[in-house]
Amino acid sequence: MRQSPLSQASDDRLLDMLFAGEEIEEEIELEGARIAVTSHRVLAFMPEGGGRRFDHADRPNVLNASVQPTGQNGYLSWTIRSVVYGIILLGGGYLLNSSGILTELGSTETSDGQIVGGIGQMISSMAIMFGVLTDALLLIGGVLLFAALTFGGLYFTTRSEELVIERAGREPIYVPVAGEEAEDAARRIRSVLGREEIQQ
């Protein structure tokens, strides 16, 4: 078994993690991460990442390696929800306002121009309630659309690229590295695994 630069790092202890007969075929050193493709597995060391520091996958289970955009998915989810609910509420407020129901309720009178006692109060109360409802729908809808812009901005602020190693039956391995370095690493991993045709 040939000596590996990864084995020099005290955090990695790569040689201690290898199975009997397992050999290193490719090593990729990245900024803040290291990847080793062995005869049995793909090992990823990410001491500077925010998630797991070490992850691995058996070679037959590795489906692909690529560079994909990433961001805080929570922001994206709230952006979509805010847009949908904001449009619904704004649409409802606009329909109430443009339907003329408020005008009709406000101008309801008997044939001789007098509103009938208790009915007049009820109609007046309904007109006020519909007016408040319309204003509330428009206001809340506008606030939700503004929130959608804010969440969308936060999502694009946190958006970046990362190396993603896809594996069958489990979540992918996310390696926090971007740019040409990540593209080169993905290409080298695919090449060693014989997966280059996936990207063609």
Side-chain angles (χ1 to χ4, degrees):
M1 186 182 305
R2 64 187 175 89
Q3 185 70 11
S4 164
L6 288 175
S7 63
Q8 309 297 324
S10 59
D11 289 340
D12 295 338
R13 297 174 304 179
L14 178 62
L15 295 181
D16 293 337
M17 296 179 182
L18 297 181
F19 300 139
E22 184 176 11
E23 296 184 358
I24 299 165
E25 295 184 5
E26 181 77 32
E27 294 181 39
I28 305 166
E29 188 162 353
L30 306 165
E31 184 178 347
R34 291 176 179 173
I35 297 170
V37 181
T38 74
S39 54
H40 293 61
R41 297 174 292 168
V42 175
L43 311 173
F45 300 88
M46 302 155 288
E48 298 179 15
R52 298 186 62 172
R53 297 185 61 179
F54 169 74
D55 211 339
H56 67 95
D58 294 332
R59 279 183 67 150
N61 291 331
V62 177
L63 304 176
N64 192 17
S66 60
V67 178
Q68 298 178 9
T70 183
Q72 294 290 336
N73 290 332
Y75 291 141
L76 181 60
S77 174
W78 279 106
T79 299
I80 295 170
R81 291 179 190 175
S82 298
V83 167
V84 171
Y85 293 138
I87 289 174
I88 290 172
L89 292 178
L90 277 177
Y94 176 76
L95 286 175
L96 273 177
N97 195 35
S98 63
S99 66
I101 190 170
L102 298 177
T103 306
E104 288 181 18
L105 286 174
S107 62
T108 301
E109 296 181 343
T110 59
S111 57
D112 62 353
Q114 298 296 320
I115 298 178
V116 179
I119 296 178
Q121 279 188 329
M122 184 182 71
I123 292 173
S124 179
S125 297
M126 287 178 61
I128 292 170
M129 286 174 56
F130 274 110
V132 170
L133 178 61
T134 301
D135 292 341
L137 289 175
L138 293 172
L139 177 62
I140 296 172
V143 169
L144 284 174
L145 287 182
F146 177 77
L149 287 174
T150 304
F151 286 126
L154 289 171
Y155 173 74
F156 281 105
T157 299
T158 62
R159 186 179 169 89
S160 61
E161 290 182 334
E162 63 185 356
L163 174 62
V164 178
I165 302 172
E166 299 174 34
R167 51 188 174 177
R170 297 174 63 189
E171 286 292 312
I173 299 173
Y174 297 101
V175 183
V177 61
E180 293 183 6
E181 193 178 32
E183 292 284 359
D184 180 63
R187 180 188 54 77
R188 289 170 65 183
I189 293 170
R190 291 194 306 269
S191 178
V192 174
L193 298 176
R195 305 281 197 275
E196 272 297 341
E197 66 276 1
I198 292 176
Q199 296 295 323
Q200 293 175 359

